[in-house]
Amino acid sequence: MGEVWSGLRRNLSVVISVILVTFVSLTFVGAAILMQQQVQQMKSFWYDRAQVAVYLCTSHDRSATCDGTDAGEDEIAAVEEALGSEVLAPYIDDYFFLDHDQAYEEFAKQFEGNPILDVTSPDQLNQTYWVKLKDAAKSQIILETFTGIPGVQSVKDQQSLLDRIFLFLGVASYTAIGIAGLMLIAAMLLISTTIRLSAFSRRREIGIMRLVGASNRFIQTPFILEGIIAALIGAVLAGAASVAIVKFFVQGFLVKEVPFTSYITVEQSLIVPPILIALGVILSAIAAKIAITRYLRV
């Protein structure tokens, strides 16, 4: 341990560089893990609430099933009857209807303070049946049943929109993993350089130990521990940063400012620090072992 602390003091600036690079790279890894956790959390939250919207014709629609008039009472009744039929009963958990005025109230809440409210009237918004399914994966049945029938402008599955959002979040998390991988490679190369510099500065001591018959393991161990300690400090800082992100940004900010979804908790984020510490220790040990073995061969 005396040799370890001596080596760390002699190469303090490089050791600090190792700590910082390890910290940044493992923070990216932690962020990627947290993002994957958040995506899974949001999927569980939103897929359970995903609905299918059956939009009825308005007086502004001119399409194959709409002739520029509101959906008539008979057409609305036909949709209602189909939704309550025994054929669809095994798939539908619940459904409700929004008329023009109710749709405008929801629209006004969503776009409160937006100038678009000044140019939007209730008759421009679709009367809509919102359908909650027992199994969101079977939304295609509702789409096939109501698409193209008179009085129905379109049928939209919210799950398909959610899939696009989660695809974007997934790409972002994989991008973070890719950046983290490059940073980890840089950290391993820096650890290798640090170990070689430390070994070079103690080349006389190493030569004496070889002369008195010290084993390679005895000579290598202090250098490997130097790399592990430097990386361990960076890993601990990265783990603390990951938990802090969840505590102060996710729970402290997003939960209050964007409360429409479910977020990961601090307790869930506690799985990240052990992973980062284990990853940092293993990679640094490998890099240090390779570096000092190659140096001693020379």
Side-chain angles (χ1 to χ4, degrees):
M1 293 306 299
E3 289 294 321
V4 170
W5 297 121
S6 174
L8 292 175
R9 285 195 304 270
R10 290 180 182 180
N11 302 285
L12 185 59
S13 60
V14 183
V15 169
I16 292 174
S17 299
V18 171
I19 293 173
L20 292 177
V21 173
T22 305
F23 164 67
V24 173
S25 59
L26 289 179
T27 299
F28 272 104
V29 175
I33 296 173
L34 293 175
M35 193 170 292
Q36 285 295 325
Q37 285 183 307
Q38 182 59 46
V39 168
Q40 294 303 319
Q41 184 95 351
M42 292 176 68
K43 280 184 177 180
S44 300
F45 181 86
W46 284 107
Y47 281 162
D48 288 343
R49 293 163 175 76
Q51 296 176 323
V52 179
V54 181
Y55 294 107
L56 304 181
C57 295
T58 71
S59 57
H60 302 273
D61 293 328
R62 293 189 178 278
S63 58
T65 54
C66 301
D67 57 2
T69 59
D70 263 347
E73 293 183 2
D74 293 340
E75 294 169 332
I76 296 175
V79 174
E80 177 94 25
E81 183 179 355
L83 289 171
S85 67
E86 295 183 1
V87 176
L88 296 181
Y91 308 104
I92 296 178
D93 182 41
D94 192 18
Y95 66 89
F96 62 92
F97 177 70
L98 291 181
D99 60 23
H100 288 301
D101 292 330
Q102 292 170 323
Y104 185 79
E105 289 179 11
E106 294 295 324
F107 183 81
K109 291 178 183 177
Q110 184 176 0
F111 293 95
E112 183 178 359
N114 193 311
I116 195 173
L117 288 175
D118 299 331
V119 295
T120 304
S121 59
D123 64 293
Q124 292 177 292
L125 302 177
N126 302 82
Q127 300 181 95
T128 310
Y129 276 101
W130 288 97
V131 183
K132 183 179 180 182
L133 301 177
K134 295 179 179 178
D135 183 358
K138 296 182 178 180
S139 59
Q140 190 62 32
I141 295 172
I142 304 299
L143 270 68
E144 293 176 354
T145 301
F146 293 102
T147 299
I149 70 172
V152 175
Q153 180 205 61
S154 60
V155 184
K156 301 293 184 182
D157 179 13
Q158 286 185 331
Q159 184 171 330
S160 63
L161 300 176
L162 293 174
D163 287 338
R164 296 177 186 175
I165 296 173
F166 292 135
L167 176 62
F168 171 78
L169 292 175
V171 170
S173 64
Y174 290 129
T175 301
I177 291 174
I179 295 173
L182 293 175
M183 294 295 291
L184 285 173
I185 293 173
M188 292 181 69
L189 292 174
L190 191 56
I191 290 171
S192 298
T193 302
T194 303
I195 298 306
R196 292 175 69 86
L197 285 173
S198 182
F200 181 78
S201 67
R202 284 179 280 173
R203 58 191 180 279
R204 291 183 179 178
E205 292 93 326
I206 292 174
I208 293 171
M209 285 190 285
R210 280 178 163 176
L211 289 174
V212 299
S215 65
N216 282 338
R217 179 178 297 179
F218 183 84
I219 297 173
Q220 292 173 3
T221 300
F223 298 100
I224 295 174
L225 288 176
E226 287 177 27
I228 291 176
I229 290 172
L232 181 61
I233 295 172
V236 170
L237 292 175
S242 299
V243 175
I245 289 172
V246 175
K247 180 175 178 59
F248 297 107
F249 178 68
V250 177
Q251 293 295 322
F253 176 75
L254 291 180
V255 169
K256 296 177 182 177
E257 300 297 328
V258 194
F260 61 81
T261 190
S262 175
Y263 295 99
I264 57 175
T265 62
V266 174
E267 289 73 17
Q268 289 175 303
S269 69
L270 293 178
I271 192 178
V272 176
I275 294 175
L276 300 185
I277 290 172
L279 187 61
V281 169
I282 292 171
L283 292 180
S284 62
I286 293 172
K289 173 66 175 176
I290 293 173
I292 191 60
T293 300
R294 291 183 62 184
Y295 180 84
L296 292 180
R297 283 177 184 171
V298 176

Short mmCIF file of all heavy atoms in Angstrom, two decimals, residues 14 18 26 35 54 69 81 84 100-101 105 109 120 124 136-137 162 174 221 240 247 255 259 263 278:
data_model
loop_
_atom_site.label_atom_id
_atom_site.label_comp_id
_atom_site.label_asym_id
_atom_site.label_seq_id
_atom_site.Cartn_x
_atom_site.Cartn_y
_atom_site.Cartn_z
N VAL A 14 -1.97 13.13 -13.55
CA VAL A 14 -2.50 12.10 -14.44
C VAL A 14 -3.59 11.30 -13.74
O VAL A 14 -4.59 10.91 -14.36
CB VAL A 14 -1.37 11.17 -14.93
CG1 VAL A 14 -1.90 10.15 -15.91
CG2 VAL A 14 -0.26 11.98 -15.57
N VAL A 18 -7.44 10.56 -14.87
CA VAL A 18 -8.10 9.25 -14.90
C VAL A 18 -9.43 9.32 -14.15
O VAL A 18 -10.46 8.81 -14.62
CB VAL A 18 -7.19 8.17 -14.27
CG1 VAL A 18 -7.96 6.86 -14.10
CG2 VAL A 18 -5.96 7.95 -15.12
N LEU A 26 -18.45 6.93 -17.03
CA LEU A 26 -19.40 6.12 -16.26
C LEU A 26 -20.70 6.89 -15.98
O LEU A 26 -21.75 6.26 -15.81
CB LEU A 26 -18.76 5.66 -14.95
CG LEU A 26 -17.66 4.60 -15.11
CD1 LEU A 26 -17.08 4.23 -13.76
CD2 LEU A 26 -18.18 3.35 -15.82
N MET A 35 -32.06 6.04 -18.29
CA MET A 35 -32.99 6.30 -19.39
C MET A 35 -33.76 5.04 -19.76
O MET A 35 -34.96 5.09 -20.04
CB MET A 35 -32.23 6.85 -20.60
CG MET A 35 -33.14 7.44 -21.66
SD MET A 35 -32.23 8.34 -22.93
CE MET A 35 -31.64 9.73 -21.99
N VAL A 54 -61.96 7.19 -31.80
CA VAL A 54 -62.81 7.12 -33.00
C VAL A 54 -63.32 8.53 -33.26
O VAL A 54 -64.25 9.00 -32.59
CB VAL A 54 -63.97 6.13 -32.80
CG1 VAL A 54 -64.82 6.06 -34.08
CG2 VAL A 54 -63.45 4.75 -32.42
N THR A 69 -70.60 17.54 -43.47
CA THR A 69 -71.61 17.73 -42.42
C THR A 69 -71.20 16.94 -41.17
O THR A 69 -70.43 15.98 -41.26
CB THR A 69 -72.99 17.25 -42.88
OG1 THR A 69 -72.92 15.86 -43.22
CG2 THR A 69 -73.47 18.04 -44.08
N GLU A 81 -73.65 1.57 -30.84
CA GLU A 81 -74.17 0.19 -30.83
C GLU A 81 -73.06 -0.82 -31.07
O GLU A 81 -73.00 -1.87 -30.43
CB GLU A 81 -75.26 0.05 -31.89
CG GLU A 81 -75.91 -1.33 -31.90
CD GLU A 81 -77.01 -1.44 -32.95
OE1 GLU A 81 -77.33 -0.42 -33.60
OE2 GLU A 81 -77.53 -2.55 -33.14
N GLY A 84 -70.89 -1.26 -28.01
CA GLY A 84 -71.55 -2.02 -26.95
C GLY A 84 -71.96 -3.42 -27.36
O GLY A 84 -72.61 -4.13 -26.57
N HIS A 100 -68.84 18.18 -29.15
CA HIS A 100 -68.03 19.33 -29.57
C HIS A 100 -67.62 20.20 -28.38
O HIS A 100 -66.45 20.60 -28.27
CB HIS A 100 -68.81 20.18 -30.57
CG HIS A 100 -68.97 19.55 -31.92
ND1 HIS A 100 -67.90 19.18 -32.70
CD2 HIS A 100 -70.09 19.21 -32.63
CE1 HIS A 100 -68.33 18.65 -33.84
NE2 HIS A 100 -69.66 18.66 -33.81
N ASP A 101 -68.58 20.51 -27.51
CA ASP A 101 -68.29 21.41 -26.39
C ASP A 101 -67.30 20.77 -25.41
O ASP A 101 -66.39 21.44 -24.90
CB ASP A 101 -69.58 21.78 -25.67
CG ASP A 101 -70.49 22.65 -26.53
OD1 ASP A 101 -69.94 23.40 -27.37
OD2 ASP A 101 -71.72 22.56 -26.37
N GLU A 105 -63.50 22.03 -24.38
CA GLU A 105 -63.03 22.22 -23.01
C GLU A 105 -61.68 21.55 -22.79
O GLU A 105 -60.76 22.13 -22.18
CB GLU A 105 -64.06 21.67 -22.02
CG GLU A 105 -65.34 22.49 -21.91
CD GLU A 105 -66.32 21.87 -20.94
OE1 GLU A 105 -65.93 20.94 -20.20
OE2 GLU A 105 -67.49 22.29 -20.93
N LYS A 109 -57.97 23.42 -22.12
CA LYS A 109 -57.07 23.08 -21.01
C LYS A 109 -55.67 22.78 -21.52
O LYS A 109 -54.67 23.19 -20.93
CB LYS A 109 -57.61 21.87 -20.25
CG LYS A 109 -58.88 22.14 -19.46
CD LYS A 109 -59.36 20.85 -18.77
CE LYS A 109 -60.67 21.08 -18.04
NZ LYS A 109 -61.18 19.83 -17.43
N THR A 120 -60.06 28.93 -32.95
CA THR A 120 -60.65 27.60 -32.91
C THR A 120 -62.03 27.66 -32.26
O THR A 120 -62.20 28.28 -31.21
CB THR A 120 -59.76 26.62 -32.12
OG1 THR A 120 -58.45 26.60 -32.68
CG2 THR A 120 -60.34 25.20 -32.17
N GLN A 124 -65.26 22.95 -34.90
CA GLN A 124 -64.11 22.49 -35.67
C GLN A 124 -63.47 21.23 -35.07
O GLN A 124 -62.68 20.57 -35.73
CB GLN A 124 -63.05 23.60 -35.74
CG GLN A 124 -63.45 24.82 -36.54
CD GLN A 124 -62.40 25.91 -36.50
OE1 GLN A 124 -62.16 26.51 -35.45
NE2 GLN A 124 -61.77 26.18 -37.62
N ALA A 136 -54.16 -3.67 -24.92
CA ALA A 136 -53.82 -2.63 -25.89
C ALA A 136 -53.22 -3.19 -27.17
O ALA A 136 -53.26 -2.54 -28.22
CB ALA A 136 -52.84 -1.64 -25.26
N ALA A 137 -52.68 -4.40 -27.11
CA ALA A 137 -52.07 -5.00 -28.29
C ALA A 137 -53.11 -5.39 -29.34
O ALA A 137 -52.76 -5.68 -30.49
CB ALA A 137 -51.25 -6.23 -27.89
N LEU A 162 -47.23 6.38 -29.11
CA LEU A 162 -46.31 6.12 -28.01
C LEU A 162 -45.09 5.34 -28.49
O LEU A 162 -43.98 5.58 -28.02
CB LEU A 162 -47.03 5.34 -26.91
CG LEU A 162 -48.15 6.08 -26.17
CD1 LEU A 162 -48.86 5.14 -25.21
CD2 LEU A 162 -47.60 7.27 -25.40
N TYR A 174 -29.36 4.57 -26.45
CA TYR A 174 -28.29 3.82 -27.11
C TYR A 174 -27.16 4.75 -27.56
O TYR A 174 -25.99 4.36 -27.59
CB TYR A 174 -28.85 3.05 -28.31
CG TYR A 174 -29.73 1.89 -27.90
CD1 TYR A 174 -31.00 1.72 -28.44
CD2 TYR A 174 -29.29 0.96 -26.96
CE1 TYR A 174 -31.80 0.66 -28.06
CE2 TYR A 174 -30.09 -0.10 -26.57
CZ TYR A 174 -31.35 -0.25 -27.13
OH TYR A 174 -32.14 -1.28 -26.74
N THR A 221 1.23 -5.88 -8.46
CA THR A 221 0.06 -5.56 -7.63
C THR A 221 -0.08 -4.08 -7.29
O THR A 221 -1.18 -3.52 -7.43
CB THR A 221 0.07 -6.41 -6.35
OG1 THR A 221 0.02 -7.80 -6.70
CG2 THR A 221 -1.13 -6.07 -5.46
N ALA A 240 -22.79 8.57 -7.60
CA ALA A 240 -23.44 9.65 -6.83
C ALA A 240 -24.13 10.64 -7.77
O ALA A 240 -25.24 11.12 -7.49
CB ALA A 240 -22.40 10.37 -5.98
N LYS A 247 -32.72 12.43 -8.09
CA LYS A 247 -33.26 13.13 -6.92
C LYS A 247 -33.59 14.59 -7.24
O LYS A 247 -34.68 15.07 -6.91
CB LYS A 247 -32.26 13.06 -5.76
CG LYS A 247 -32.75 13.77 -4.49
CD LYS A 247 -31.78 13.56 -3.35
CE LYS A 247 -32.23 14.30 -2.09
NZ LYS A 247 -33.56 13.87 -1.63
N VAL A 255 -41.08 15.89 -11.89
CA VAL A 255 -42.31 15.43 -11.23
C VAL A 255 -43.25 16.61 -10.95
O VAL A 255 -44.47 16.49 -11.05
CB VAL A 255 -41.97 14.68 -9.93
CG1 VAL A 255 -43.22 14.44 -9.10
CG2 VAL A 255 -41.30 13.35 -10.24
N PRO A 259 -46.07 16.70 -14.64
CA PRO A 259 -46.60 15.61 -13.81
C PRO A 259 -47.53 14.63 -14.53
O PRO A 259 -48.24 13.88 -13.87
CB PRO A 259 -47.38 16.38 -12.74
CG PRO A 259 -47.87 17.60 -13.45
CD PRO A 259 -46.81 17.95 -14.46
N TYR A 263 -42.43 8.58 -13.23
CA TYR A 263 -40.98 8.71 -13.29
C TYR A 263 -40.31 7.72 -12.34
O TYR A 263 -40.91 7.25 -11.37
CB TYR A 263 -40.55 10.13 -12.90
CG TYR A 263 -41.02 11.20 -13.86
CD1 TYR A 263 -42.14 11.96 -13.58
CD2 TYR A 263 -40.34 11.44 -15.05
CE1 TYR A 263 -42.58 12.94 -14.45
CE2 TYR A 263 -40.76 12.41 -15.93
CZ TYR A 263 -41.89 13.17 -15.63
OH TYR A 263 -42.32 14.13 -16.50
N ALA A 278 -18.61 -1.63 -10.12
CA ALA A 278 -18.10 -2.93 -10.60
C ALA A 278 -17.47 -2.77 -11.98
O ALA A 278 -16.38 -3.31 -12.25
CB ALA A 278 -19.23 -3.96 -10.64
#
